[in-house]
Amino acid sequence: SSPEDMALVHDGARAAGKKVIALGGAKNHLVAAPDRDLKMASSDIVASFAGCAGQRCMAASVLITIGDQPELLDNVVARAGKLGMGQEAGQVGPVIDAASRDRILDIVARAEKDGAEVLLDGRTANGRAGTWVGPTILKFPTSMAGHEALTAEIFGPVLSVVSVPTAAEALAIENSDPHGNAACIYTSSGATADFFSRRFNAAMVGVNIGVPVPREPFSFGGMEGSISKYGEHDITGEGALNFFTKVRKVTTKWTTTPDAPPDAANFGGTM
């Protein structure tokens, strides 16, 4: 659902005096440090952005490399290019409907027209009967960091790539995004992982994991105050128990028989 729709749901529920959890949009970022493990990172990046045809709220949509990493991009492109189209395990399925397909293709076309380099073109899959979009990888110069393909939720198997010189600049791109849903850092350094984990403006963080879905008892949901979540608590975990539970408190007092021992903690008596 769009953030606008979720804002309407949230405000309407609030006006009716009801509690509400309304999940909005997502634009999840992957940051690749120079010391990332090449095989693990490239495999995970492809699974994250192309799995489920990119139509899940935890799919990666932006890859930020710290420094130019041509070997990583070559591996990601090669792996994604080998994925077949279909509905079997390990294949990329169709997107949900024609409107979604057409929107994805339009964004890719505009990105190319505006100056993005198409490293892998999934538009050729559109020749099949049905609503198909193949894995697509777009590379942007830093001057295009504000392009819609890097900032809007595409909700398809499209990965937008941008390279920056420093970790601080990579973090700034992620933190400037209002979605606040999920982010990941690929690195072999615990210090680097800690730096990003503590500073990402996202509620669900992965270290070398591109789909960082928390498992119970940890809760699932975007950052408070972001456009990925409106309302109280998360949809799983302790917060969800509190949300879906009506708490009843019972205070009791009993009369005593004449031969009963005295109540040592009777609020009406003495200790």
Side-chain angles (χ1 to χ4, degrees), residues 152-215:
E153 183 175 24
I154 300 175
F155 212 62
V158 179
L159 183 69
S160 299
V161 182
V162 63
S163 296
V164 295
T166 67
E169 290 171 275
L171 186 66
I173 291 176
E174 194 284 327
N175 283 355
S176 67
D177 188 274
H179 290 86
N181 190 60
C184 169
I185 173 67
Y186 292 102
T187 180
S188 297
S189 165
T192 301
D194 184 68
F195 174 85
F196 281 95
S197 297
R198 291 175 179 271
R199 293 170 175 82
F200 275 143
N201 187 34
M204 294 175 284
V205 174
V207 176
N208 299 317
I209 298 175
V211 185
V213 177
R215 307 313 308 172

Short mmCIF file of all heavy atoms in Angstrom, two decimals, residues 152-215:
data_model
loop_
_atom_site.label_atom_id
_atom_site.label_comp_id
_atom_site.label_asym_id
_atom_site.label_seq_id
_atom_site.Cartn_x
_atom_site.Cartn_y
_atom_site.Cartn_z
N ALA A 152 11.91 6.43 -5.08
CA ALA A 152 10.53 5.95 -5.04
C ALA A 152 10.49 4.43 -4.97
O ALA A 152 11.38 3.75 -5.48
CB ALA A 152 9.76 6.43 -6.28
N GLU A 153 9.45 3.91 -4.36
CA GLU A 153 9.30 2.46 -4.29
C GLU A 153 8.85 1.95 -5.65
O GLU A 153 7.74 2.24 -6.11
CB GLU A 153 8.27 2.07 -3.22
CG GLU A 153 8.13 0.57 -3.06
CD GLU A 153 7.21 0.18 -1.91
OE1 GLU A 153 6.35 0.99 -1.53
OE2 GLU A 153 7.34 -0.95 -1.41
N ILE A 154 9.71 1.17 -6.32
CA ILE A 154 9.40 0.64 -7.64
C ILE A 154 8.56 -0.63 -7.53
O ILE A 154 7.66 -0.87 -8.31
CB ILE A 154 10.69 0.36 -8.43
CG1 ILE A 154 11.48 1.66 -8.61
CG2 ILE A 154 10.37 -0.26 -9.80
CD1 ILE A 154 12.84 1.47 -9.29
N PHE A 155 8.84 -1.44 -6.56
CA PHE A 155 8.12 -2.69 -6.27
C PHE A 155 8.20 -3.65 -7.46
O PHE A 155 7.19 -4.11 -7.99
CB PHE A 155 6.67 -2.41 -5.89
CG PHE A 155 6.11 -3.42 -4.91
CD1 PHE A 155 6.67 -3.55 -3.65
CD2 PHE A 155 5.04 -4.23 -5.25
CE1 PHE A 155 6.15 -4.48 -2.75
CE2 PHE A 155 4.53 -5.16 -4.36
CZ PHE A 155 5.09 -5.28 -3.11
N GLY A 156 9.42 -3.93 -7.86
CA GLY A 156 9.68 -4.87 -8.93
C GLY A 156 11.13 -5.31 -8.88
O GLY A 156 11.91 -4.83 -8.05
N PRO A 157 11.56 -6.20 -9.77
CA PRO A 157 12.93 -6.74 -9.73
C PRO A 157 13.94 -5.78 -10.34
O PRO A 157 14.61 -6.10 -11.32
CB PRO A 157 12.80 -8.04 -10.54
CG PRO A 157 11.74 -7.72 -11.55
CD PRO A 157 10.76 -6.84 -10.83
N VAL A 158 14.04 -4.60 -9.76
CA VAL A 158 14.91 -3.54 -10.26
C VAL A 158 15.86 -3.11 -9.15
O VAL A 158 15.41 -2.77 -8.05
CB VAL A 158 14.10 -2.33 -10.75
CG1 VAL A 158 15.04 -1.23 -11.25
CG2 VAL A 158 13.12 -2.73 -11.84
N LEU A 159 17.16 -3.14 -9.44
CA LEU A 159 18.17 -2.70 -8.48
C LEU A 159 18.84 -1.45 -9.03
O LEU A 159 19.39 -1.46 -10.13
CB LEU A 159 19.21 -3.80 -8.26
CG LEU A 159 20.30 -3.49 -7.23
CD1 LEU A 159 19.72 -3.44 -5.83
CD2 LEU A 159 21.43 -4.52 -7.31
N SER A 160 18.80 -0.37 -8.26
CA SER A 160 19.47 0.87 -8.63
C SER A 160 20.78 0.96 -7.86
O SER A 160 20.80 0.78 -6.65
CB SER A 160 18.58 2.07 -8.30
OG SER A 160 17.36 2.00 -9.04
N VAL A 161 21.87 1.24 -8.57
CA VAL A 161 23.20 1.23 -7.99
C VAL A 161 23.82 2.62 -8.07
O VAL A 161 23.73 3.29 -9.11
CB VAL A 161 24.12 0.22 -8.72
CG1 VAL A 161 25.50 0.18 -8.06
CG2 VAL A 161 23.49 -1.16 -8.76
N VAL A 162 24.46 3.03 -6.98
CA VAL A 162 25.19 4.28 -6.96
C VAL A 162 26.46 4.07 -6.13
O VAL A 162 26.43 3.34 -5.13
CB VAL A 162 24.34 5.45 -6.40
CG1 VAL A 162 23.95 5.19 -4.95
CG2 VAL A 162 25.04 6.77 -6.55
N SER A 163 27.55 4.66 -6.55
CA SER A 163 28.82 4.55 -5.82
C SER A 163 29.19 5.88 -5.20
O SER A 163 29.01 6.94 -5.83
CB SER A 163 29.94 4.10 -6.77
OG SER A 163 29.69 2.80 -7.27
N VAL A 164 29.70 5.83 -3.97
CA VAL A 164 30.14 7.04 -3.26
C VAL A 164 31.52 6.77 -2.67
O VAL A 164 31.88 5.61 -2.42
CB VAL A 164 29.15 7.45 -2.16
CG1 VAL A 164 27.80 7.85 -2.75
CG2 VAL A 164 28.96 6.32 -1.15
N PRO A 165 32.30 7.80 -2.41
CA PRO A 165 33.67 7.59 -1.93
C PRO A 165 33.78 7.11 -0.49
O PRO A 165 34.73 6.41 -0.14
CB PRO A 165 34.33 8.97 -2.09
CG PRO A 165 33.44 9.73 -3.02
CD PRO A 165 32.07 9.20 -2.78
N THR A 166 32.83 7.49 0.38
CA THR A 166 33.02 7.26 1.81
C THR A 166 31.81 6.60 2.46
O THR A 166 30.68 6.66 1.94
CB THR A 166 33.29 8.58 2.55
OG1 THR A 166 32.11 9.40 2.49
CG2 THR A 166 34.47 9.32 1.91
N ALA A 167 32.05 6.02 3.63
CA ALA A 167 30.96 5.44 4.41
C ALA A 167 29.97 6.50 4.85
O ALA A 167 28.76 6.26 4.88
CB ALA A 167 31.54 4.72 5.64
N ALA A 168 30.46 7.69 5.19
CA ALA A 168 29.57 8.76 5.61
C ALA A 168 28.60 9.15 4.51
O ALA A 168 27.41 9.42 4.77
CB ALA A 168 30.39 9.97 6.06
N GLU A 169 29.08 9.17 3.27
CA GLU A 169 28.20 9.53 2.15
C GLU A 169 27.18 8.42 1.88
O GLU A 169 26.03 8.70 1.53
CB GLU A 169 29.04 9.82 0.91
CG GLU A 169 29.83 11.11 1.01
CD GLU A 169 30.81 11.27 -0.14
OE1 GLU A 169 31.94 10.73 -0.04
OE2 GLU A 169 30.43 11.92 -1.13
N ALA A 170 27.59 7.17 2.04
CA ALA A 170 26.65 6.06 1.89
C ALA A 170 25.56 6.14 2.94
O ALA A 170 24.36 5.98 2.65
CB ALA A 170 27.39 4.73 2.00
N LEU A 171 25.96 6.42 4.17
CA LEU A 171 24.99 6.55 5.25
C LEU A 171 24.05 7.72 5.02
O LEU A 171 22.85 7.64 5.30
CB LEU A 171 25.73 6.71 6.58
CG LEU A 171 24.87 6.71 7.84
CD1 LEU A 171 24.22 5.36 8.04
CD2 LEU A 171 25.73 7.07 9.06
N ALA A 172 24.56 8.82 4.49
CA ALA A 172 23.74 10.00 4.24
C ALA A 172 22.63 9.70 3.24
O ALA A 172 21.50 10.19 3.38
CB ALA A 172 24.61 11.15 3.75
N ILE A 173 22.93 8.89 2.21
CA ILE A 173 21.89 8.54 1.23
C ILE A 173 20.79 7.73 1.90
O ILE A 173 19.60 8.00 1.72
CB ILE A 173 22.51 7.76 0.06
CG1 ILE A 173 23.42 8.67 -0.77
CG2 ILE A 173 21.42 7.15 -0.81
CD1 ILE A 173 24.14 7.95 -1.90
N GLU A 174 21.19 6.72 2.68
CA GLU A 174 20.18 5.91 3.37
C GLU A 174 19.37 6.75 4.35
O GLU A 174 18.14 6.66 4.39
CB GLU A 174 20.85 4.73 4.08
CG GLU A 174 19.88 3.64 4.53
CD GLU A 174 19.08 3.99 5.77
OE1 GLU A 174 19.61 4.72 6.63
OE2 GLU A 174 17.92 3.54 5.87
N ASN A 175 20.04 7.57 5.12
CA ASN A 175 19.35 8.34 6.14
C ASN A 175 18.44 9.43 5.56
O ASN A 175 17.53 9.90 6.24
CB ASN A 175 20.36 8.99 7.09
CG ASN A 175 20.92 7.99 8.09
OD1 ASN A 175 20.50 6.84 8.14
ND2 ASN A 175 21.88 8.42 8.88
N SER A 176 18.69 9.84 4.33
CA SER A 176 17.85 10.87 3.72
C SER A 176 16.54 10.29 3.20
O SER A 176 15.62 11.05 2.87
CB SER A 176 18.60 11.55 2.57
OG SER A 176 18.81 10.65 1.48
N ASP A 177 16.45 8.98 3.14
CA ASP A 177 15.23 8.35 2.63
C ASP A 177 14.17 8.30 3.73
O ASP A 177 14.47 7.90 4.87
CB ASP A 177 15.54 6.94 2.14
CG ASP A 177 14.36 6.32 1.43
OD1 ASP A 177 13.50 5.72 2.10
OD2 ASP A 177 14.30 6.43 0.20
N PRO A 178 12.93 8.68 3.44
CA PRO A 178 11.90 8.76 4.50
C PRO A 178 11.23 7.44 4.83
O PRO A 178 10.39 7.40 5.74
CB PRO A 178 10.88 9.74 3.89
CG PRO A 178 10.97 9.50 2.42
CD PRO A 178 12.42 9.22 2.15
N HIS A 179 11.57 6.34 4.12
CA HIS A 179 10.82 5.11 4.33
C HIS A 179 11.16 4.43 5.66
O HIS A 179 10.26 3.93 6.34
CB HIS A 179 11.06 4.14 3.18
CG HIS A 179 10.43 4.58 1.89
ND1 HIS A 179 11.05 5.44 1.00
CD2 HIS A 179 9.22 4.30 1.35
CE1 HIS A 179 10.26 5.66 -0.03
NE2 HIS A 179 9.15 4.97 0.15
N GLY A 180 12.45 4.34 6.02
CA GLY A 180 12.83 3.83 7.34
C GLY A 180 12.46 2.39 7.59
O GLY A 180 12.20 2.00 8.73
N ASN A 181 12.44 1.57 6.53
CA ASN A 181 11.99 0.19 6.71
C ASN A 181 13.16 -0.75 7.02
O ASN A 181 13.28 -1.27 8.12
CB ASN A 181 11.23 -0.28 5.47
CG ASN A 181 10.54 -1.61 5.67
OD1 ASN A 181 9.69 -1.73 6.55
ND2 ASN A 181 10.87 -2.60 4.86
N ALA A 182 14.04 -0.99 6.02
CA ALA A 182 15.13 -1.94 6.22
C ALA A 182 16.40 -1.46 5.51
O ALA A 182 16.33 -0.70 4.53
CB ALA A 182 14.75 -3.32 5.69
N ALA A 183 17.54 -1.89 6.01
CA ALA A 183 18.84 -1.56 5.42
C ALA A 183 19.83 -2.65 5.79
O ALA A 183 19.67 -3.33 6.81
CB ALA A 183 19.34 -0.20 5.90
N CYS A 184 20.88 -2.79 4.97
CA CYS A 184 21.87 -3.84 5.19
C CYS A 184 23.26 -3.32 4.90
O CYS A 184 23.45 -2.49 4.01
CB CYS A 184 21.56 -5.04 4.29
SG CYS A 184 22.88 -6.28 4.24
N ILE A 185 24.24 -3.81 5.64
CA ILE A 185 25.64 -3.52 5.39
C ILE A 185 26.36 -4.84 5.09
O ILE A 185 26.23 -5.81 5.84
CB ILE A 185 26.32 -2.78 6.57
CG1 ILE A 185 27.83 -2.65 6.34
CG2 ILE A 185 26.02 -3.46 7.90
CD1 ILE A 185 28.22 -1.77 5.20
N TYR A 186 27.11 -4.88 3.98
CA TYR A 186 27.94 -6.03 3.65
C TYR A 186 29.38 -5.67 3.98
O TYR A 186 29.95 -4.73 3.42
CB TYR A 186 27.83 -6.38 2.16
CG TYR A 186 26.48 -6.92 1.76
CD1 TYR A 186 25.55 -6.12 1.13
CD2 TYR A 186 26.11 -8.24 2.04
CE1 TYR A 186 24.30 -6.59 0.77
CE2 TYR A 186 24.88 -8.73 1.70
CZ TYR A 186 23.97 -7.90 1.06
OH TYR A 186 22.73 -8.39 0.71
N THR A 187 29.98 -6.43 4.87
CA THR A 187 31.33 -6.13 5.33
C THR A 187 31.93 -7.35 6.03
O THR A 187 31.18 -8.22 6.50
CB THR A 187 31.34 -4.92 6.28
OG1 THR A 187 32.68 -4.65 6.72
CG2 THR A 187 30.48 -5.18 7.50
N SER A 188 33.24 -7.39 6.12
CA SER A 188 33.92 -8.41 6.93
C SER A 188 34.41 -7.83 8.24
O SER A 188 35.06 -8.52 9.03
CB SER A 188 35.11 -8.98 6.15
OG SER A 188 34.69 -9.63 4.97
N SER A 189 34.09 -6.57 8.50
CA SER A 189 34.56 -5.86 9.69
C SER A 189 33.44 -5.66 10.69
O SER A 189 32.40 -5.07 10.38
CB SER A 189 35.13 -4.49 9.27
OG SER A 189 35.28 -3.64 10.39
N GLY A 190 33.67 -6.12 11.91
CA GLY A 190 32.70 -5.89 12.97
C GLY A 190 32.52 -4.41 13.27
O GLY A 190 31.41 -3.95 13.57
N ALA A 191 33.61 -3.65 13.20
CA ALA A 191 33.52 -2.22 13.47
C ALA A 191 32.66 -1.51 12.43
O ALA A 191 31.85 -0.63 12.74
CB ALA A 191 34.92 -1.60 13.51
N THR A 192 32.82 -1.88 11.16
CA THR A 192 32.01 -1.29 10.10
C THR A 192 30.54 -1.67 10.27
O THR A 192 29.64 -0.84 10.12
CB THR A 192 32.51 -1.75 8.72
OG1 THR A 192 33.87 -1.35 8.56
CG2 THR A 192 31.68 -1.14 7.61
N ALA A 193 30.30 -2.93 10.60
CA ALA A 193 28.93 -3.38 10.83
C ALA A 193 28.29 -2.60 11.97
O ALA A 193 27.13 -2.17 11.89
CB ALA A 193 28.91 -4.87 11.14
N ASP A 194 29.04 -2.40 13.03
CA ASP A 194 28.51 -1.66 14.19
C ASP A 194 28.25 -0.20 13.83
O ASP A 194 27.22 0.36 14.23
CB ASP A 194 29.51 -1.74 15.34
CG ASP A 194 28.98 -1.08 16.61
OD1 ASP A 194 28.02 -1.61 17.19
OD2 ASP A 194 29.53 -0.03 17.00
N PHE A 195 29.13 0.41 13.05
CA PHE A 195 28.96 1.80 12.64
C PHE A 195 27.63 1.99 11.92
O PHE A 195 26.85 2.90 12.25
CB PHE A 195 30.12 2.22 11.74
CG PHE A 195 29.97 3.59 11.14
CD1 PHE A 195 30.36 4.72 11.85
CD2 PHE A 195 29.43 3.75 9.88
CE1 PHE A 195 30.21 5.99 11.30
CE2 PHE A 195 29.27 5.02 9.32
CZ PHE A 195 29.67 6.14 10.03
N PHE A 196 27.35 1.13 10.94
CA PHE A 196 26.12 1.29 10.18
C PHE A 196 24.89 0.84 10.96
O PHE A 196 23.83 1.47 10.88
CB PHE A 196 26.22 0.53 8.85
CG PHE A 196 27.02 1.26 7.80
CD1 PHE A 196 28.37 0.98 7.63
CD2 PHE A 196 26.44 2.23 7.01
CE1 PHE A 196 29.12 1.65 6.67
CE2 PHE A 196 27.18 2.91 6.05
CZ PHE A 196 28.51 2.62 5.88
N SER A 197 25.01 -0.24 11.70
CA SER A 197 23.85 -0.76 12.44
C SER A 197 23.31 0.27 13.43
O SER A 197 22.10 0.37 13.66
CB SER A 197 24.23 -2.03 13.20
OG SER A 197 24.59 -3.06 12.31
N ARG A 198 24.22 1.04 14.01
CA ARG A 198 23.81 2.04 14.99
C ARG A 198 23.28 3.32 14.35
O ARG A 198 22.63 4.13 15.02
CB ARG A 198 24.98 2.39 15.91
CG ARG A 198 25.40 1.28 16.85
CD ARG A 198 26.63 1.65 17.64
NE ARG A 198 27.03 0.61 18.56
CZ ARG A 198 26.57 0.49 19.82
NH1 ARG A 198 25.71 1.37 20.29
NH2 ARG A 198 27.00 -0.48 20.59
N ARG A 199 23.54 3.51 13.06
CA ARG A 199 23.24 4.80 12.43
C ARG A 199 22.22 4.73 11.29
O ARG A 199 21.72 5.77 10.87
CB ARG A 199 24.54 5.44 11.93
CG ARG A 199 25.47 5.86 13.07
CD ARG A 199 26.84 6.27 12.55
NE ARG A 199 27.70 6.77 13.62
CZ ARG A 199 28.40 6.00 14.45
NH1 ARG A 199 28.34 4.67 14.31
NH2 ARG A 199 29.14 6.52 15.40
N PHE A 200 21.93 3.54 10.78
CA PHE A 200 20.92 3.43 9.73
C PHE A 200 19.60 3.99 10.23
O PHE A 200 19.18 3.72 11.37
CB PHE A 200 20.69 1.96 9.34
CG PHE A 200 21.64 1.43 8.30
CD1 PHE A 200 22.09 0.11 8.40
CD2 PHE A 200 22.04 2.19 7.23
CE1 PHE A 200 22.94 -0.42 7.44
CE2 PHE A 200 22.90 1.67 6.26
CZ PHE A 200 23.35 0.36 6.37
N ASN A 201 18.91 4.74 9.39
CA ASN A 201 17.58 5.23 9.74
C ASN A 201 16.54 4.21 9.28
O ASN A 201 15.64 4.50 8.50
CB ASN A 201 17.33 6.59 9.07
CG ASN A 201 16.03 7.22 9.54
OD1 ASN A 201 15.63 7.04 10.69
ND2 ASN A 201 15.34 7.91 8.65
N ALA A 202 16.70 2.99 9.75
CA ALA A 202 15.82 1.89 9.39
C ALA A 202 15.60 1.02 10.62
O ALA A 202 16.50 0.85 11.44
CB ALA A 202 16.41 1.05 8.26
N ALA A 203 14.39 0.48 10.74
CA ALA A 203 14.05 -0.29 11.94
C ALA A 203 14.53 -1.73 11.86
O ALA A 203 14.68 -2.39 12.89
CB ALA A 203 12.54 -0.25 12.17
N MET A 204 14.74 -2.24 10.65
CA MET A 204 15.18 -3.63 10.49
C MET A 204 16.51 -3.62 9.75
O MET A 204 16.58 -3.20 8.59
CB MET A 204 14.11 -4.44 9.76
CG MET A 204 12.84 -4.58 10.59
SD MET A 204 11.48 -5.42 9.74
CE MET A 204 10.91 -4.10 8.64
N VAL A 205 17.56 -4.06 10.42
CA VAL A 205 18.92 -3.92 9.90
C VAL A 205 19.53 -5.30 9.70
O VAL A 205 19.42 -6.19 10.55
CB VAL A 205 19.78 -3.08 10.86
CG1 VAL A 205 21.24 -3.05 10.41
CG2 VAL A 205 19.22 -1.66 10.97
N GLY A 206 20.20 -5.47 8.56
CA GLY A 206 20.90 -6.72 8.28
C GLY A 206 22.40 -6.50 8.19
O GLY A 206 22.85 -5.47 7.70
N VAL A 207 23.17 -7.44 8.66
CA VAL A 207 24.62 -7.47 8.47
C VAL A 207 24.90 -8.69 7.61
O VAL A 207 24.72 -9.83 8.05
CB VAL A 207 25.37 -7.54 9.80
CG1 VAL A 207 26.88 -7.66 9.54
CG2 VAL A 207 25.07 -6.32 10.66
N ASN A 208 25.26 -8.45 6.35
CA ASN A 208 25.47 -9.51 5.36
C ASN A 208 24.20 -10.32 5.10
O ASN A 208 24.26 -11.47 4.69
CB ASN A 208 26.62 -10.43 5.78
CG ASN A 208 27.93 -9.70 5.92
OD1 ASN A 208 28.28 -8.87 5.08
ND2 ASN A 208 28.67 -9.98 6.99
N ILE A 209 23.05 -9.70 5.34
CA ILE A 209 21.75 -10.32 5.09
C ILE A 209 20.87 -9.28 4.40
O ILE A 209 20.52 -8.26 4.99
CB ILE A 209 21.07 -10.79 6.39
CG1 ILE A 209 21.91 -11.86 7.09
CG2 ILE A 209 19.67 -11.32 6.12
CD1 ILE A 209 21.38 -12.28 8.44
N GLY A 210 20.51 -9.55 3.15
CA GLY A 210 19.77 -8.57 2.36
C GLY A 210 18.28 -8.54 2.59
O GLY A 210 17.60 -7.62 2.13
N VAL A 211 17.74 -9.55 3.27
CA VAL A 211 16.32 -9.56 3.62
C VAL A 211 16.25 -9.75 5.13
O VAL A 211 15.99 -10.85 5.64
CB VAL A 211 15.54 -10.68 2.89
CG1 VAL A 211 14.05 -10.59 3.20
CG2 VAL A 211 15.76 -10.59 1.38
N PRO A 212 16.51 -8.69 5.90
CA PRO A 212 16.65 -8.84 7.36
C PRO A 212 15.31 -8.86 8.09
O PRO A 212 14.94 -7.95 8.83
CB PRO A 212 17.46 -7.59 7.74
CG PRO A 212 17.04 -6.56 6.74
CD PRO A 212 16.79 -7.30 5.46
N VAL A 213 14.57 -9.96 7.89
CA VAL A 213 13.27 -10.10 8.56
C VAL A 213 13.51 -10.61 9.98
O VAL A 213 14.03 -11.70 10.17
CB VAL A 213 12.36 -11.09 7.80
CG1 VAL A 213 11.05 -11.28 8.55
CG2 VAL A 213 12.10 -10.59 6.38
N PRO A 214 13.15 -9.84 11.00
CA PRO A 214 13.36 -10.29 12.38
C PRO A 214 12.43 -11.46 12.71
O PRO A 214 11.28 -11.49 12.28
CB PRO A 214 12.99 -9.06 13.23
CG PRO A 214 12.84 -7.93 12.26
CD PRO A 214 12.52 -8.52 10.94
N ARG A 215 12.95 -12.40 13.44
CA ARG A 215 12.12 -13.53 13.87
C ARG A 215 11.69 -13.34 15.31
O ARG A 215 12.36 -12.70 16.11
CB ARG A 215 12.90 -14.85 13.74
CG ARG A 215 13.51 -15.10 12.38
CD ARG A 215 12.56 -14.86 11.22
NE ARG A 215 11.30 -15.54 11.35
CZ ARG A 215 10.26 -15.34 10.53
NH1 ARG A 215 10.34 -14.45 9.57
NH2 ARG A 215 9.14 -16.02 10.71
#
